Amino acid sequence: MRTFFLYGTALFFLYSCGPTANDTAETTEEETTSAEMTASVEETGDNTLTDQEQQDGWTLLFDGQSTNSWRGAHKDAFPEQGWKIEDGQLMVLSSDGAESQNGGDIVTENEYDNFEFQVDFKLTEGANSGIKYFVTEGYNSGASAIGLEYQLLDDEKHPDAKKGNNGGGTRTLGSLYDLKGAPSSKPFRGIGEWNTARLVVQGNQVEHYLNGEKVLEYERGGEEYNTLVKNSKYEKWDDFGMAESGHILLQDHGDLVYFKNIKVRELPAS
């Protein structure tokens, strides 16, 4: 009788302490809810500034809903076609690779001299675009506005990756377009993935970053720079890239490219 009582007691504690089907369901539901909350936090984090970023002087250039900080290059208003906002992303739409023949390039309302600029971008297969800076709109090329350019490109699928002056390979992702190439070992996350481009300009010193890694640097007006310009497609433009200040530009090269988390901060003169 004592043995049976002890055995029954053990079974009672075993089943009462072990997980039931309801417990398992509740745990799974809690884990799912936690995952959803984490995803929600990540999503709502787009196109916003942290308290620290605000203290550091960053300004949003895109809030995920409006184009208030931008207008068309050589225009007074934002393009009526060729660009689209969807799910918190600013998209330049495809027009079969036609350069600035759909919506055209867009530029910041303000001009910048010493600054840090950052944007998350996502390339589609074969895409070509760019981030230009020190754009003054004083040049009229008949196509894309003229300025120094951080190249955005699918190096594997777009033919421009094998072109470029100054030894070739100067039109690849992260390069100073047609002037100075970024290394092939750059940390690109891939087509269809979000990557981060960053520019740092202080005085005439310029740095290009891709996903947190510096991929090139140069000095505007320096001996190397002047030689590169002389041997490039920009040789015909007087004082190319030497403006004291200029707009920042996102290029319409006729390919679908996505942008978000676009921000800038002004830096002290070096």
Side-chain angles (χ1 to χ4, degrees):
M1 185 71 177
R2 180 180 179 82
T3 301
F4 177 80
F5 173 80
L6 291 173
Y7 180 74
T9 302
L11 287 177
F12 171 80
F13 278 102
L14 177 63
Y15 282 101
S16 64
C17 295
T20 65
N22 287 338
D23 290 337
T24 303
E26 290 174 0
T27 301
T28 303
E29 184 176 351
E30 289 173 0
E31 291 173 351
T32 302
T33 302
S34 177
E36 289 174 350
M37 289 176 63
T38 301
S40 176
V41 168
E42 291 176 351
E43 289 171 4
T44 56
D46 281 342
N47 307 310
T48 60
L49 295 175
T50 65
D51 291 341
Q52 186 61 55
E53 287 175 324
Q54 293 180 52
Q55 292 175 23
D56 291 341
W58 286 96
T59 299
L60 273 181
L61 292 176
F62 177 59
D63 62 6
Q65 301 176 14
S66 69
T67 58
N68 291 341
S69 298
W70 302 85
R71 61 172 174 81
H74 303 286
K75 299 176 182 177
D76 295 327
F78 196 86
E80 295 182 358
Q81 64 182 35
W83 293 83
K84 181 180 180 181
I85 296 176
E86 186 174 272
D87 298 329
Q89 302 164 31
L90 178 62
M91 306 154 58
V92 55
L93 304 179
S94 175
S95 56
D96 297 324
E99 183 179 350
S100 295
Q101 298 303 305
N102 192 13
D105 302 336
I106 59 173
V107 296
T108 55
E109 291 281 4
N110 295 332
E111 294 189 16
Y112 302 92
D113 47 15
N114 299 283
F115 65 92
E116 185 173 359
F117 173 82
Q118 186 166 300
V119 58
D120 292 344
F121 67 93
K122 181 167 62 175
L123 298 174
T124 55
E125 188 172 304
N128 184 350
S129 184
I131 304 161
K132 297 186 181 182
Y133 49 106
F134 287 105
V135 174
T136 64
E137 299 173 294
Y139 305 113
N140 187 4
S141 68
S144 183
I146 300 298
L148 297 162
E149 180 177 353
Y150 181 119
Q151 173 75 311
L152 300 179
L153 195 80
D154 178 355
D155 290 352
E156 295 296 323
K157 297 294 181 67
H158 199 286
D160 256 22
K162 297 180 175 61
K163 300 178 182 178
N165 292 300
N166 290 295
T170 54
R171 299 182 183 181
T172 56
L173 174 63
S175 295
L176 175 61
Y177 179 81
D178 210 48
L179 297 174
K180 187 171 184 176
S184 58
S185 59
K186 59 200 167 215
F188 180 51
R189 294 176 184 144
I191 300 300
E193 301 293 334
W194 286 105
N195 292 267
T196 302
R198 178 170 156 245
L199 286 164
V200 180
V201 179
Q202 278 195 296
N204 288 329
Q205 299 297 321
V206 183
E207 298 173 342
H208 286 194
Y209 290 80
L210 177 63
N211 295 323
E213 182 176 308
K214 185 193 296 184
V215 293
L216 65 80
E217 61 184 334
Y218 66 97
E219 179 186 2
R220 292 192 304 146
E223 183 177 350
E224 178 197 33
Y225 175 83
N226 291 336
T227 299
L228 294 174
V229 171
K230 184 178 180 179
N231 295 322
S232 77
K233 64 183 288 183
Y234 298 116
E235 191 272 336
K236 64 181 179 181
W237 305 107
D238 293 337
D239 297 321
F240 169 74
M242 293 306 301
E244 291 185 6
S245 65
H247 302 279
I248 300 171
L249 175 152
L250 297 180
Q251 186 184 37
D252 169 17
H253 209 292
D255 296 315
L256 177 61
V257 179
Y258 300 80
F259 302 96
K260 67 177 181 179
N261 297 327
I262 313 172
K263 54 193 174 186
V264 66
R265 66 171 175 168
E266 298 189 52
L267 300 176
S270 59

